[in-house]
Amino acid sequence: MKAILGAAALVLAGAIPALAHEFWIEPENYEVAADAPLTAALRVGENMKGSAYAYVPPNFRRFDLVMGDMVVPVEGRAGDRPALNMAAPAEGLAVVVHQTRDYLLTYRDWAKFENFTTHKDFAWAMARHDERGLPRTDFREQYSRYGKALIAVGTGAGADREVGLLTEIVAEANPYTDDLSGGFPVQVLYEGAPRADTQIELFEKAPDGTVEATLHRTDAEGRAVLPVKPGHEYLVDSVVMREMEPASDTDPVWESLWASLTFKVPE
């Protein structure tokens, strides 16, 4: 690992305001026996606390289980909770992949856009918004979510990989089999290319349920090494913000793309 653990940390826990709702895949168990079912909830909330959403096909564009070169669609019935409940097709590292449909939100208050773009490291969007001559109230944003979760099935052997999401976080170590004493390496991608000098938000949930958050940055290759601890659960989050050209006054003028990765470091 070329990065120095902790060198990219910018803001310590407690100093990061809860301004955005993350999306993540939360397995009921991050390590399961080879013959046990895989179960996981789809959650939206803040600081790793939020509502669980059911299996609703119109609300997602992709829901797969990836194990090496094998890709198996997650099947279920509308309304199923948890959203993922299926047998693993093999033993090894299972990567749960979920892509939502597009959603819309309307900013009634400029301060909310200012808080969001500042927190997620898109302060440039405020100046650009004014340069484009856009209104500061009653404008719309389109957003979609791209989640991944790592589950060890049996031995848990295997590796994460790029799975073709518009934006994604790739784990460059296996948290269930590799030595993480030097940190957990990840790479952030957008349209298959590394996202250099990009903010990563790391949420850490301790065994007692307390959650801390820190901010980190990727290097020139879109990589970062994140500090992790045994027995703790993690959510890694990174967001892309891009302009949209509206065809009418009601069309969105911004689009955010949310990548997340969840895993747990064994005791």
Side-chain angles (χ1 to χ4, degrees), residues 148-163:
K148 297 169 70 177
L150 307 180
I151 303 176
V153 181
T155 64
D160 186 19
R161 63 175 178 85
E162 183 181 351
V163 297

Side-chain angles (χ1 to χ4, degrees), residues 90-145:
E91 186 171 355
L93 182 67
V95 183
V96 186
V97 178
H98 188 92
Q99 175 185 342
T100 70
R101 66 174 176 87
D102 293 334
Y103 290 90
L104 292 172
L105 66 86
T106 300
Y107 286 97
R108 306 294 184 190
D109 182 356
W110 176 255
K112 290 185 177 180
F113 186 70
E114 181 178 23
N115 290 339
F116 166 63
T117 54
T118 300
H119 174 55
K120 290 299 183 183
D121 197 36
F122 304 128
W124 56 267
M126 290 181 285
R128 182 64 186 138
H129 189 95
D130 290 339
E131 288 172 2
R132 295 169 67 192
L134 299 173
R136 283 195 163 201
T137 58
D138 297 324
F139 62 93
R140 307 185 84 183
E141 174 191 321
Q142 178 175 292
Y143 66 94
S144 51
R145 317 282 199 170

Side-chain angles (χ1 to χ4, degrees), residues 1-238:
M1 301 175 187
K2 296 180 180 179
I4 298 175
L5 178 60
L10 297 180
V11 181
L12 297 180
I16 302 175
L19 299 172
H21 287 78
E22 276 70 34
F23 166 87
W24 71 100
I25 303 167
E26 183 180 83
E28 292 186 353
N29 295 290
Y30 284 87
E31 297 178 90
V32 302
D35 58 351
L38 301 180
T39 55
L42 306 176
R43 293 194 180 274
V44 175
E46 299 171 341
N47 292 321
M48 299 186 76
K49 297 176 183 178
S51 302
Y53 289 81
Y55 182 96
V56 181
N59 287 344
F60 62 83
R61 292 179 174 170
R62 180 177 177 183
F63 200 1
D64 292 329
L65 196 63
V66 178
M67 301 188 76
D69 294 331
M70 178 170 42
V71 179
V72 179
V74 172
E75 297 183 353
R77 294 180 300 178
D80 278 354
R81 294 176 187 269
L84 169 65
N85 188 349
M86 63 181 288
E91 186 171 355
L93 182 67
V95 183
V96 186
V97 178
H98 188 92
Q99 175 185 342
T100 70
R101 66 174 176 87
D102 293 334
Y103 290 90
L104 292 172
L105 66 86
T106 300
Y107 286 97
R108 306 294 184 190
D109 182 356
W110 176 255
K112 290 185 177 180
F113 186 70
E114 181 178 23
N115 290 339
F116 166 63
T117 54
T118 300
H119 174 55
K120 290 299 183 183
D121 197 36
F122 304 128
W124 56 267
M126 290 181 285
R128 182 64 186 138
H129 189 95
D130 290 339
E131 288 172 2
R132 295 169 67 192
L134 299 173
R136 283 195 163 201
T137 58
D138 297 324
F139 62 93
R140 307 185 84 183
E141 174 191 321
Q142 178 175 292
Y143 66 94
S144 51
R145 317 282 199 170
Y146 304 82
K148 297 169 70 177
L150 307 180
I151 303 176
V153 181
T155 64
D160 186 19
R161 63 175 178 85
E162 183 181 351
V163 297
L165 296 175
L166 182 56
T167 182
E168 65 178 289
I169 300 168
V170 180
E172 297 196 310
N174 183 327
Y176 310 107
T177 61
D178 295 347
D179 178 8
L180 302 182
S181 58
F184 185 74
V186 299
Q187 185 177 35
V188 183
L189 304 176
Y190 168 55
E191 295 184 328
R195 294 192 67 204
D197 191 26
T198 292
Q199 178 174 293
I200 294 175
E201 192 162 4
L202 177 67
F203 297 88
E204 175 185 81
K205 181 186 287 186
D208 65 2
T210 58
V211 177
E212 296 184 347
T214 52
L215 298 180
H216 307 261
R217 297 201 77 82
T218 61
D219 63 15
E221 297 178 339
R223 291 185 164 90
V225 180
L226 307 174
V228 295
K229 302 173 185 175
H232 289 226
E233 182 181 350
Y234 292 91
L235 162 62
V236 189
D237 173 88
S238 189

